Amino acid sequence: SEAYMPVSAGLGSEENFLSLEDIIMSHEKLPCRLEMTLPRLGFLDKSGESDSIPEGTKMELPLWLAKGLYDKKRKIVSVELPKIYKEGWRTVFNADANVVDLHRLGPYYYSFGCQLLNFDSPENPEIAQTLLQTFVGRFRRIMDSSQNAYNEDTSGLVSRLDELERILFHAGQKGLNEFQRWEKGQAS
Amino acid sequence: MFCEKAIELIRELHRSGDGSLPAFNEDGVRQVLEEMKALYEQNQTDVHEAKSDGRSDLIPTITFRHCCLLRNRRCIVSYLYDRLLRIRALRWEYGSVLPSALRFQMSADEMVWFNQYKKSLATYMRSLGGDEGLDVTQDLTPPK
Amino acid sequence: ANTETYLKNVALKHMPPNLQTVDFLKSVPK
């Protein structure tokens, strides 16, 4: 439906509160370490048997929870970078971003990556640079393919795109289809 | 883990990415509200204990539960709000009388909202185009 | 106002007192 206009995902380090995309993205997990004991929550730790989750426990927490518990002063959790944002993978991205399957590695590679910048890692400048360069490196092919694939199966073209790139691809397809309709006199 | 029912509500809507309206998940919303009530009551107990018995070690747990409360709240209001956006779109797609199959997918409160939306739109359209008003929901594509 | 009333009646009034505000509606992108 043309008239359905959902709240879009936020850009950069801000989420849009009412965006379904941002809510799903922020459910993705990242490796954390508890810097304090959490009493009375022991039932959440499958490996533990006590009433508390002890300090030092390593857990994968959803981004929304990691953000809420991360505080420079109180330090309830510390956060580790997921693999694909670390130096090793950043080298791969910087070498040739087009070879990477961002759906498998993501699927919210860009927006999740931007959210990681909230955690004050010393690698933030490099992460931000890689995110930007990766996007720039891949954008041209996404634009070209979305503008040239008319009335055909595009599943092969989108299978390796992250969610942001898929939205861009579909925007390009929509424009192409609307133009074709207009050319054929079907837009009235 | 907390907030699992809440994310299920969001995923259910997100799966209908084309703007179609699934049935209102009354049970799902109720379960999330119940989880919020339980989290809040647990936190009330712990806050009291932290203040009266000096149990400052409970603060991280209280913070944890508060994050879950905020998350549940965000999921519920986003679920409800996105459904309103879909229902609003129905007015523009189908006109002011919706097919019964679609009405069936809406809750009673959503129908009330829809009827009020229709009234607001009608009032607005009457205010346009001089005495006759202007139906802006018609002729959305240009003539041949 | 219609949307606010709806959200309050269906969800917010059943939530803890400090979470009943509709401040998030201001954040909807234009």
Side-chain angles (χ1 to χ4, degrees), chain B residues 59-116:
Chain B
I59 290 173
T61 296
I62 292 165
T63 308
F64 186 103
R65 291 200 200 98
H66 186 68
C67 289
C68 297
L69 280 165
L70 291 176
R71 179 67 172 183
N72 274 340
R73 173 179 180 256
R74 183 183 179 190
C75 289
I76 286 192
V77 298
S78 300
Y79 174 78
L80 296 174
Y81 188 83
D82 191 77
R83 283 184 63 89
L84 294 184
L85 294 178
R86 291 166 195 249
I87 291 166
R88 182 178 72 176
L90 295 177
R91 170 64 183 86
W92 292 81
E93 291 282 328
Y94 292 97
S96 62
V97 179
L98 297 181
S100 55
L102 286 173
R103 286 201 307 268
F104 192 66
Q105 305 290 74
M106 293 161 60
S107 70
D109 291 291
E110 285 176 332
M111 268 316 292
V112 169
W113 182 90
F114 180 68
N115 288 334
Q116 185 55 50

Side-chain angles (χ1 to χ4, degrees), chain A residues 38-49:
Chain A
L38 294 181
R40 301 179 181 175
L41 293 177
F43 61 92
L44 293 174
D45 183 15
K46 286 177 187 127
S47 56
E49 281 164 9

Side-chain angles (χ1 to χ4, degrees), chain A residues 7-17 19 21-22 25 67 110-115 117-118 131 135 164 167-168, chain C residues 29:
Chain A
V7 176
S8 56
L11 286 174
S13 58
E14 292 295 319
E15 294 183 50
N16 280 337
F17 185 88
S19 160
E21 289 278 342
D22 274 344
M25 176 276 293
K67 277 171 82 173
Y110 298 107
S111 48
F112 193 87
C114 288
Q115 287 301 310
L117 302 175
N118 285 309
L131 288 170
F135 179 80
L164 170 67
I167 287 170
L168 286 176

Side-chain angles (χ1 to χ4, degrees), chain A residues 1-5 15-18 20-21 23-24 26-27 36 38-40 43-44 64-65 68 188, chain B residues 1-3 11 14 18-19 46 49 55 57 60-61 64 67 71 74 77-78 82 85-86 89 93 142 144:
Chain A
S1 165
E2 292 257 346
Y4 167 59
M5 291 176 288
E15 294 183 50
N16 280 337
F17 185 88
L18 293 168
L20 301 188
E21 289 278 342
I23 292 173
I24 292 171
S26 56
H27 199 71
M36 292 181 173
L38 294 181
R40 301 179 181 175
F43 61 92
L44 293 174
W64 62 265
L65 187 53
S188 54
Chain B
M1 184 53 179
F2 300 116
C3 310
R11 284 199 175 118
H14 191 249
D18 58 352
D46 283 2
E49 210 174 316
R55 289 284 309 268
D57 63 307
T61 296
F64 186 103
C67 289
R71 179 67 172 183
R74 183 183 179 190
V77 298
S78 300
D82 191 77
L85 294 178
R86 291 166 195 249
E93 291 282 328
K144 202 172 169 73

Side-chain angles (χ1 to χ4, degrees), chain A residues 70-88:
Chain A
Y70 180 82
D71 184 282
K72 274 175 259 193
K73 286 181 233 163
R74 204 163 277 151
K75 276 221 104 178
I76 298 174
V77 299
S78 58
V79 158
E80 197 189 307
L81 292 177
K83 266 202 323 258
I84 59 162
Y85 299 100
K86 286 186 174 173
E87 195 183 347

